[in-house]
Amino acid sequence: MNDAPTQPSIRRLQQFGVRPRRDLGQNFLIDSNILGVIERAAGIETEDVVLEVGGGLGVLSEHLAARAAHTHVVEVDRELEEPLREALAPYAETTTLHMIDALKLDLAALDPQPTKVVANLPYNIAATVILDTVAGLPSVTRWVAMVQKEVGERFAAASGGKDYGIPSVLAQLACDVRVHRKVPRTVFHPVPNVDSVLVVLDRTGPAAPPELRDFVHGAFAHRRKALARSVALHTGNGEERDRIRAALARLGHPDDVRAERLSPPELAALWND
């Protein structure tokens, strides 16, 4: 009689002696019911090429691989390579396992190029991965990411709120963003001490160019200062303050407005003026 657990993550935890690493923010999915929720939110179709960042024990990886044309799985922890390869073995011809830090991954070199990003993202790199793939993977049309609740709310935040900032603007300049649903802590092992959500981004246009991204960083660099002053301090160019004040006046905004009061399109218009 086989007493091994049937849930893949729990079985692989025992089989391979895996110990979750806090330094990598590892919280493994152990409730397979959430997989269908993620799949439906992503709208996975047979022609999709999926990028999954943070393959973990492979439970989401194998679910995606069974449904997509190709699945790229990225994982930095070498101790997870064996359980991941077991999970992906039935799909060897349509999966690529990248054992690398996701922040060092050459996105342009991925072949085939992804059309969707679907991931249970490690909390410490979640925002960076989303923004990097928005900018670096123009082929991607949708992102579905499990992230810390505060991260998801920042991406979806509207102008004027306390959560609105650089991630909100850069994501919303290229995508419609929404918090899809809350995720119970009990779907993870170990149980995290933070709440999680699924955040969904649907591409509406190209990513902001590097110059606009730098402008947005400058606009929010000093949140208690007026936008024009913040950008001038960020660039070290005092003339920028006067130029931006003049542009604000032309666009009908007070010259002392703060960045958090302007929507992403308004910030883009200001940069373009």
Side-chain angles (χ1 to χ4, degrees):
M1 182 175 178
N2 186 0
D3 294 327
T6 57
Q7 204 286 328
S9 292
I10 297 174
R11 175 171 54 79
R12 290 178 188 133
L13 278 167
Q14 295 182 4
Q15 179 183 348
F16 296 99
V18 173
R19 293 177 178 269
R21 291 178 54 180
R22 290 185 179 181
D23 62 315
L24 294 178
Q26 290 177 344
N27 298 96
F28 301 126
L29 289 172
I30 59 168
D31 184 342
S32 295
N33 292 322
I34 197 68
L35 302 178
V37 175
I38 296 171
E39 175 201 341
R40 289 189 293 274
I44 300 295
E45 299 182 359
T46 54
E47 66 270 22
D48 276 321
V49 176
V50 178
L51 171 63
E52 181 197 8
V53 175
L57 292 164
V59 63
L60 179 58
S61 311
E62 60 191 351
H63 190 86
L64 296 170
R67 291 158 176 80
H70 195 93
T71 304
H72 294 282
V73 181
V74 182
E75 178 54 58
V76 69
D77 187 356
R78 285 284 174 182
E79 293 185 3
L80 298 179
E81 182 171 1
E82 193 175 358
L84 269 172
R85 291 201 182 279
E86 181 199 77
L88 296 175
Y91 315 101
E93 294 184 359
T94 59
T95 58
T96 307
L97 178 58
H98 307 265
M99 297 302 301
I100 188 174
D101 183 340
L103 302 184
K104 298 178 181 178
L105 181 67
D106 185 351
L107 297 174
L110 292 174
D111 184 23
Q113 280 280 281
T115 59
K116 290 177 178 172
V117 174
V118 183
N120 171 29
L121 286 172
Y123 292 152
N124 56 341
I125 63 168
T128 303
V129 166
I130 292 172
L131 293 177
D132 282 357
T133 53
V134 168
L137 289 174
S139 56
V140 171
T141 60
R142 177 171 288 186
W143 291 253
V144 176
M146 191 98 70
V147 297
Q148 187 174 339
K149 178 174 176 283
E150 288 75 12
V151 172
E153 289 175 345
R154 281 200 292 272
F155 272 106
S159 58
K162 64 180 179 63
D163 294 323
Y164 182 71
I166 294 169
S168 323
V169 175
L170 295 182
Q172 293 173 35
L173 283 171
C175 304
D176 284 330
V177 186
R178 69 183 187 277
V179 174
H180 180 65
R181 60 165 287 176
K182 295 179 181 179
V183 179
R185 298 185 185 193
T186 52
V187 307
F188 301 104
H189 173 80
V191 177
N193 58 7
V194 296
D195 293 320
S196 300
V197 297
L198 278 179
V199 63
V200 176
L201 295 83
D202 285 308
R203 189 182 290 279
T204 56
E211 298 82 3
L212 176 52
R213 296 201 295 271
D214 185 61
F215 173 79
V216 171
H217 278 275
F220 286 91
H222 304 273
R223 289 184 69 98
R224 295 187 179 183
K225 296 186 182 297
L227 184 155
R229 175 66 172 157
S230 182
V231 172
L233 288 171
H234 178 71
T235 61
N237 182 356
E239 294 180 359
E240 272 293 276
R241 179 179 56 206
D242 296 334
R243 185 193 70 79
I244 293 172
R245 284 177 173 172
L248 285 166
R250 285 191 294 272
L251 295 170
H253 302 295
D255 64 7
D256 63 349
V257 70
R258 295 181 182 180
E260 54 265 35
R261 305 304 303 178
L262 300 182
S263 68
E266 288 172 328
L267 286 164
L270 178 61
W271 172 74
N272 277 312
D273 187 82

